[in-house]
Amino acid sequence: MLSRNEKRIDNLCISEGFEPKDVYDLTKILLEHYRNGFGTSELFRFNLDEEGIKRQKAQMRRDFLEAIKMPMEESKEYQDRLYQNLRDCPWMRQVLDTILDAIGASIEDGPLYKRIIENYYLQSGGRSNEDMARVEHLSTASIERKKREAIKFLGICLYRFAHRREMEDVEENSYVGTR
C-alpha cells in the first residue's frame, strides 16, 4: 500500500511522462554508482578547464535527458554506463547537493528525504536500514518506504533540474544567434 506522499510523488512522475517504477530504478542505479565511486581513483577523472566543464555538463545533461526517455528494458546497459560517467564528473556532487537542499526545504518530509539520500548513498559505506531507523526513530519498514519515496522524488527533481537547464541553454543559444 502506498502512502499519501508516495502517491503524490508517483503522480508527479506520471505528470512528467514517466513510470514511477522506472524513475525509482534509474535513480537508484545512479545513486548506487555514486556510492560505489568513492574509491575511484582520480586517474580516471578528466581534468577539464572551465569551458570543458561547461561542455561536459551540457553533453551529460543531454545524454541524461535522452536516456531517461528510453524504455528501461531497451536501454539499461546504456543508462548504466551513462550514470557511471556522471558519477565521475567532479561537478555532479554539487548538482546533487543543490537538488537535495531544495528537496529539504520544499516539502514536509524533505529534510528526512535529504538525510536518507545523504546517509545511504552520498557517503562512503552508507548506513544500514536498521541504523537509519534507529537514528530517525522509525521502524525499518517505514525507513524503507521513506527511502523509496526519497529516491523517486530525487529522480523526478533531477529530471526537472536537467530539463530546466537544457531549456535555459536553448533559449540562451537562440538569443545569441539572433544578435
Side-chain angles (χ1 to χ4, degrees), residues 15-90:
S15 74
E16 292 290 349
F18 300 106
E19 284 296 321
K21 182 184 181 328
D22 291 347
V23 171
Y24 173 82
D25 290 343
L26 292 174
T27 307
K28 190 170 180 186
I29 290 169
L30 174 65
L31 289 169
E32 287 174 350
H33 272 301
Y34 202 89
R35 181 179 53 207
N36 294 334
F38 284 108
T40 303
S41 170
E42 292 295 320
L43 290 173
F44 296 109
R45 300 191 181 190
F46 293 104
N47 189 14
L48 301 172
D49 61 10
E50 191 174 324
E51 185 58 34
I53 290 172
K54 186 177 178 180
R55 283 193 309 272
Q56 182 188 51
K57 283 181 178 181
Q59 185 61 53
M60 294 300 274
R61 184 174 56 247
R62 283 190 292 276
D63 291 349
F64 171 76
L65 289 169
E66 180 182 318
I68 60 174
K69 293 287 186 178
M70 300 169 110
M72 183 79 159
E73 60 279 352
E74 294 175 19
S75 63
K76 194 166 188 169
E77 189 176 310
Y78 171 74
Q79 292 166 347
D80 189 57
R81 280 192 312 273
L82 171 65
Y83 296 153
Q84 184 172 347
N85 290 337
L86 268 171
R87 173 205 68 201
D88 293 337
C89 293

Side-chain angles (χ1 to χ4, degrees), residues 94-133:
Q94 182 182 1
V95 169
L96 288 171
D97 287 342
T98 298
I99 294 170
L100 286 170
D101 287 345
I103 288 171
S106 66
I107 59 173
E108 182 180 337
D109 280 339
L112 175 60
Y113 292 169
K114 179 181 177 184
R115 288 191 305 274
I116 287 171
I117 297 297
E118 288 174 339
N119 286 314
Y120 274 105
Y121 298 105
L122 301 183
Q123 61 181 335
S124 183
R127 291 190 168 176
S128 68
N129 281 346
E130 293 77 19
D131 190 33
M132 280 298 294

Side-chain angles (χ1 to χ4, degrees), residues 2 6-23 69 152 156 159-160:
L2 297 179
E6 191 164 5
K7 286 178 187 175
R8 287 182 189 137
I9 294 166
D10 285 0
N11 287 336
L12 184 60
C13 293
I14 291 166
S15 74
E16 292 290 349
F18 300 106
E19 284 296 321
K21 182 184 181 328
D22 291 347
V23 171
K69 293 287 186 178
K152 281 194 265 188
I156 202 63
Y159 166 76
R160 286 179 147 191

